[in-house]
Amino acid sequence: MELSWLNWLYEAVATVIAWIHAGYSTFIPSDNGLNWALTIITLTVLMRLLIFPLFLKQMRSSKKMQELAPKVADLRKKYKNDKQRMNQEVMKVYQEGGANPLGGCLPVVAQFPIFISMFTVLQAIANDQDKFGMSQELVDSARSAHIFGAPIPATFFTSSTDILALGADPIITKIILGIFVAVSSATTFLTVRQSVTRSIAQMPDNPMAQQQKILMYISPLFAIFSLNFALGLILYWVTTNLWTLGQQHWFYSRHPMPVIDSKGNVVEPEPKPGVLSRILPGRAAKAKAPVDAPPPEPEQKIIRQQPTRQPRSKRTGTKKS
């Protein structure tokens, strides 16, 4: 899968890996599996932070789709007997409003070159090649690192002889790889399901809705292909999926689906309470109080009328005149 015209990207990824690994090596042995696991996870997080602007663009597009929901609802009523015309008019409204129903694909497309680069760099390490600016010392430390007893560059189909050469047990290695592949498949399915469910609910008459549903159920089959991936690459993919799940949940919980009333107006639902409001409900309620709310009126004291006491003479006890 190595493409010569992407060598600059391979070298960039290999350089970042070397920097991160050197940083962790200051307090973790360089050939330790924890060191390399943290290196791959950190690289994944940095990559996702790099493409975060694309995620913001995706959020803006989703917000515009919510604002255009009343127009889309009118078009669905108007052309309910003509699906083709309805889809054309709906797509026209989205284009004029600057909304992109496929905007959620941007982060996936952006991270694909990084995925290819990781695959190529790990493949070079598995083949014991100091390519793309990597030193032989870095390659040796990666080949010696084990995660739960499985070598970083090993795949499910790596021969037992090669696994033994990497200092690991072939049976344990295949079990660990099988578990990682299952986790990769499950997180891939959950990530796609979360996105497709939201997309279909937002645009039920999307002409690509059926294809999205098919993609959602085919995504677990990705595990079949990941059996050919190195353990380090599968760890990268699992980390990416977990990040995407958390990021999408954070966005969807704060931007619920809009509700359209009988007049066709968009009623913005209240976002779900966050962790702070669940821990400190009193503080959250105080934050929700309107700023310009009038202060409560002070309670009026009830003054009881007491009878006036008449002064009496100390000697006779009679009232003074």
Side-chain angles (χ1 to χ4, degrees):
M1 190 177 287
E2 183 177 341
L3 302 175
S4 58
W5 58 276
L6 284 178
N7 279 344
W8 66 273
L9 187 57
Y10 303 154
E11 293 175 0
V13 171
T15 301
V16 174
I17 289 176
W19 288 346
I20 298 173
H21 179 263
Y24 285 122
S25 296
T26 57
F27 55 92
I28 303 176
S30 61
D31 58 350
N32 190 284
L34 177 61
N35 187 327
W36 276 96
L38 290 174
T39 298
I40 294 172
I41 293 172
T42 303
L43 175 67
T44 308
V45 172
L46 291 176
M47 186 275 299
R48 294 311 303 261
L49 291 175
L50 186 65
I51 65 174
F52 189 74
L54 295 179
F55 178 71
L56 292 179
K57 186 175 182 180
Q58 174 189 357
M59 288 196 297
R60 295 190 190 101
S61 179
S62 178
K63 185 66 176 177
K64 289 179 181 178
M65 290 178 67
Q66 293 180 3
E67 295 172 355
L68 296 172
K71 293 183 179 179
V72 173
D74 292 339
L75 290 174
R76 288 172 184 159
K77 294 179 182 178
K78 184 177 181 180
Y79 300 105
K80 61 181 179 180
N81 297 325
D82 189 350
K83 293 289 184 180
Q84 183 176 359
R85 178 67 183 280
M86 179 184 64
N87 293 333
Q88 292 176 354
E89 294 296 329
V90 169
M91 293 304 297
K92 183 179 179 181
V93 169
Y94 282 141
Q95 290 175 358
E96 293 177 352
N100 184 10
L102 301 178
C105 299
L106 292 176
V108 177
V109 174
Q111 68 177 318
F112 187 72
I114 308 296
F115 180 82
I116 296 296
S117 301
M118 283 286 296
F119 178 90
T120 306
V121 171
L122 289 174
Q123 190 67 27
I125 293 174
N127 296 332
D128 198 8
Q129 298 174 338
D130 52 347
K131 301 170 64 177
F132 314 120
M134 293 187 296
S135 64
Q136 187 62 45
E137 181 182 0
L138 180 68
V139 174
D140 292 340
S141 67
R143 289 173 59 83
S144 302
H146 298 165
I147 297 179
F148 301 117
I152 292 287
T155 70
F156 190 84
F157 297 112
T158 300
S159 64
S160 299
T161 304
D162 293 337
I163 294 176
L164 289 171
L166 294 172
D169 183 88
I171 297 178
I172 294 178
T173 297
K174 292 187 182 298
I175 292 175
I176 295 300
L177 281 165
I179 294 174
F180 268 81
V181 167
V183 173
S184 172
S185 176
T187 52
T188 300
F189 171 75
L190 292 175
T191 303
V192 177
R193 180 178 178 272
Q194 189 181 50
S195 178
V196 169
T197 302
R198 173 81 173 196
S199 176
I200 293 176
Q202 204 166 38
M203 187 178 177
D205 297 320
N206 186 354
M208 298 185 64
Q210 190 63 30
Q211 289 83 343
Q212 290 177 344
K213 288 182 180 179
I214 295 174
L215 175 64
M216 180 175 65
Y217 291 107
I218 289 181
S219 60
L221 298 179
F222 182 79
I224 298 176
F225 301 99
S226 61
L227 292 173
N228 291 307
F229 296 159
L231 177 59
L233 189 63
I234 300 175
L235 177 60
Y236 164 85
W237 192 255
V238 170
T239 307
T240 296
N241 289 344
L242 292 176
W243 178 282
T244 304
L245 274 173
Q247 189 172 250
Q248 289 181 164
H249 177 73
W250 169 81
F251 170 60
Y252 294 158
S253 62
R254 283 157 180 75
H255 298 81
M257 289 293 298
V259 179
I260 302 175
D261 58 15
S262 57
K263 298 180 180 179
N265 299 321
V266 178
V267 180
E268 293 288 345
E270 292 185 1
K272 296 181 180 179
V275 177
L276 182 61
S277 59
R278 290 195 294 268
I279 298 175
L280 303 172
R283 183 174 179 179
K286 184 178 179 181
K288 288 183 179 179
V291 179
D292 56 350
E297 296 182 0
E299 296 182 358
Q300 296 181 356
K301 291 185 177 181
I302 301 176
I303 302 175
R304 297 180 179 179
Q305 297 293 334
Q306 299 289 342
T308 304
R309 298 182 63 181
Q310 299 291 333
R312 296 176 177 269
S313 173
K314 291 184 179 179
R315 287 186 175 183
T316 62
T318 59
K319 294 183 180 179
K320 293 183 179 180
S321 56

